[in-house]
Amino acid sequence: MTTDTPRADVDDPQLAAALDEFRAAIGAEHVATDLETRHEFSDTYSPRSWTEYLPPAVLQPATTEEVQEIVRIASRHGVELWANGQGRNNGYGGSAPAHAGTVVVNLRRMNRILEVNDEFSYVVVEPGVSFNDMYDYTQANGHTLWVDTPDIGWGSLVGNALEHGFGYTAHGDRANSVCGMEIVLPDGSLLRTGMGAMTDNPSWHLSKRGFGPMLDSLFMQSNFGIVTKMGLWCMPQPEYYITGWVTLEDDEHLPALLDAVRPLMIDRTIMNYPSVFTASGALAVVGKRTDFFPGDGPIPFEVSKAIVAQIPNLGMWNMRFAVYGKENTVDAQFDNIKAALSVVPGVEVIGTKIRGDEIDPESLDQSGKVQAGIPDMQLLNTSSWAGGVGGHIGFSTVLPLTGRDGRRITDLVRPASEAAGFDYIGGFLLRERSMMHVTLMVYDTEDEPAAARARDLCANLVGTAAKMGYGEYRAHPSNMDNVQSTFDYNDHAMRRFYERLKDAIDPAGILAPGKQGIWPRRLRDGSAD
């Protein structure tokens, strides 16, 4: 895709000069060029010997002003920057930049929680604030709102929202809960979106719309600026919470389950964002594959069925969901959900009701925690399923919330995964009208052939799924160009529009070249229109 020779190390004179200025701007101790740190902020789920995404340096500023100065320095010297919050977007490349030689700007030191507003149920944070940090802060300071969390709590609230990450409370569609950003633009200037464009406007984090076009989405999954502050809407603590669990004894009835759930999502009888996942996905949280099957190759389907039959409250497919509100409301909603799902053969529905102000995290399993906005780290165990030094790569497809589409994607991905030597660890994240099918290809990162097969499998599935009408919503840097190429309407009109924006906003092309397949003019094959 790219045509220039990248800067690969600190011996480049322009980069060396920039590093001296970076050290003066943010402190030498916050400019790392040692190999260990560079590997930490590369793709941690790649074999150690794979260095195509290894950055030449890692910068860790502590303030918006330091970010501005970094951008100005980089612009003067033609140095490329790739920013992230915690840098733990593992499975999608972690901190790894798409273009070799790009310097990583990691924002973990920008970790201030600027506001927690219980009255309007929102928070304002910097990019270094993790979900674990946020939960600890709200608990220590007596706040009653619930901040949405993904399955693994070490990531950045800001970074996860910018990457269209997902959680499991009523605000689980996290990108849709963003309200008001502060952004450092490629020239080092500062922009605030929405009502924040007016000085001291009290509605900055209350109203997404300001005057003119909404800009927030332009800075999600893009390379148009570096977000340094963000407002996020949250849930008020409910009076009662029911964490629900559904098991399905047979794979063949998955389409019936998805079709039965859809009306409950559209009318918000199910109030949160549920997930539906395979038995192997549940087992990978609590053990390694050798704990359940000592043989070689993917676990055979019939063996999986036999394993499931021996474990209480585990199905071939499983769904977690939640309802929140007054006691009579959650009781009625839960009864309605059980009745609606009873049409699905072999389905079982159970639930646990808890007062919102009496939740004990120690008494909840992983699903019960995250649906209550309580971060957890247990799902990280999934990466160790194959043994060794665990890692995975994700294949994440958006499709209509129908049983037909669910069956089509599983019929594509399951056999393809098993043919490549991987257990099918897949599932669906449900929204009101659509769902994301997420598959993890899990491997030992010291097994280079397995890691290569996982990347190749993801790349091949992208094209096949696109022919079926399904597009990806997230991708590893190795797959970003591939995914972007599938959005091909009107001769890739969307990509050409992104490129025009890139050339106007960042003419030097210093911010995250290649992110989401958006390249600056100097690195594109041919010139922009």
Side-chain angles (χ1 to χ4, degrees), residues 396-462:
S396 308
T397 305
V398 178
L399 54 160
L401 177 46
T402 73
R404 173 182 176 272
D405 290 287
R407 178 53 71 212
R408 289 183 78 205
I409 198 70
T410 58
D411 283 350
L412 168 66
V413 177
R414 184 196 298 271
S417 297
E418 293 178 348
F422 301 105
D423 289 306
Y424 174 55
I425 300 179
F428 299 90
L429 306 178
L430 307 187
R431 296 187 288 194
E432 289 89 341
R433 295 166 180 82
S434 64
M435 57 187 175
M436 285 92 79
H437 177 261
V438 178
T439 309
L440 305 183
M441 290 74 177
V442 181
Y443 51 85
D444 176 358
T445 61
E446 295 182 337
D447 183 347
E448 292 192 31
R453 289 198 312 275
R455 277 201 194 176
D456 289 344
L457 175 59
C458 279
N460 292 333
L461 285 172
V462 167

Side-chain angles (χ1 to χ4, degrees), residues 121-153:
S121 291
Y122 72 83
V123 299
V124 184
V125 295
E126 292 182 329
V129 176
S130 72
F131 294 94
N132 290 330
D133 295 335
M134 191 75 245
Y135 178 75
D136 290 344
Y137 183 91
T138 58
Q139 294 302 295
N141 291 280
H143 292 290
T144 57
L145 49 69
W146 286 10
V147 181
D148 190 79
T149 182
D151 279 302
I152 300 173

Side-chain angles (χ1 to χ4, degrees), residues 29 333 373 463 469:
E29 67 274 27
Q333 298 289 69

Side-chain angles (χ1 to χ4, degrees), residues 141-407:
N141 291 280
H143 292 290
T144 57
L145 49 69
W146 286 10
V147 181
D148 190 79
T149 182
D151 279 302
I152 300 173
W154 66 358
S156 158
L157 274 75
V158 171
N160 189 270
L162 294 178
E163 290 301 318
H164 298 168
F166 232 73
Y168 306 101
T169 71
H171 284 278
D173 190 351
R174 193 167 297 108
N176 199 41
S177 294
V178 172
C179 187
M181 296 179 182
E182 178 183 270
I183 304 116
V184 175
L185 296 176
D187 63 358
S189 64
L190 206 58
L191 170 72
R192 288 186 172 179
T193 63
M195 288 294 174
M198 177 186 290
T199 303
D200 296 330
N201 189 309
S203 297
W204 185 19
H205 303 299
L206 307 180
S207 174
K208 296 183 183 183
R209 297 178 182 87
F211 189 71
M214 288 179 61
L215 298 180
D216 298 65
S217 290
L218 278 179
F219 299 97
M220 298 179 186
Q221 289 197 350
S222 79
N223 48 16
F224 301 147
I226 299 176
V227 177
T228 53
K229 292 182 179 66
M230 179 184 287
L232 281 159
W233 290 348
C234 308
M235 273 183 63
Q237 177 179 281
E239 182 178 305
Y240 278 89
Y241 159 51
I242 293 181
T243 172
W245 184 261
V246 178
T247 59
L248 198 61
E249 64 180 7
D250 289 315
D251 175 80
E252 65 181 296
H253 298 304
L254 171 66
L257 176 64
L258 295 175
D259 284 334
V261 168
R262 184 178 59 254
L264 302 173
M265 295 296 299
I266 289 176
D267 70 11
R268 302 309 287 156
T269 299
I270 294 180
M271 300 175 182
N272 75 321
Y273 291 87
S275 55
V276 180
F277 45 91
T278 59
S280 57
L283 295 174
V285 177
V286 296
K288 294 181 173 63
R289 70 184 308 278
T290 52
D291 297 330
F292 305 100
F293 178 67
D296 295 328
I299 300 177
F301 187 77
E302 291 305 316
V303 174
S304 293
K305 289 189 69 173
I307 294 170
V308 167
Q310 298 173 29
I311 300 176
N313 297 325
L314 183 67
M316 291 299 288
W317 285 94
N318 308 271
M319 183 179 86
R320 64 186 188 196
F321 69 92
V323 290
Y324 316 92
K326 302 291 185 183
E327 185 170 19
N328 61 340
T329 301
V330 299
D331 288 342
Q333 298 289 69
F334 186 74
D335 289 344
N336 290 337
I337 292 165
K338 287 186 69 174
L341 298 185
S342 67
V343 303
V344 182
V347 75
E348 295 289 339
V349 183
I350 60 176
T352 303
K353 183 171 69 175
I354 315 167
R355 279 190 59 92
D357 59 359
E358 294 180 356
I359 289 179
D360 174 18
E362 298 301 318
S363 68
L364 294 174
D365 61 13
Q366 193 268 347
S367 294
K369 288 179 183 178
V370 297
Q371 293 184 134
I374 301 170
D376 187 74
M377 293 296 293
Q378 190 178 19
L379 204 74
L380 193 61
N381 296 344
T382 303
S383 293
S384 300
W385 175 251
V389 181
H392 69 265
I393 188 169
F395 172 70
S396 308
T397 305
V398 178
L399 54 160
L401 177 46
T402 73
R404 173 182 176 272
D405 290 287
R407 178 53 71 212

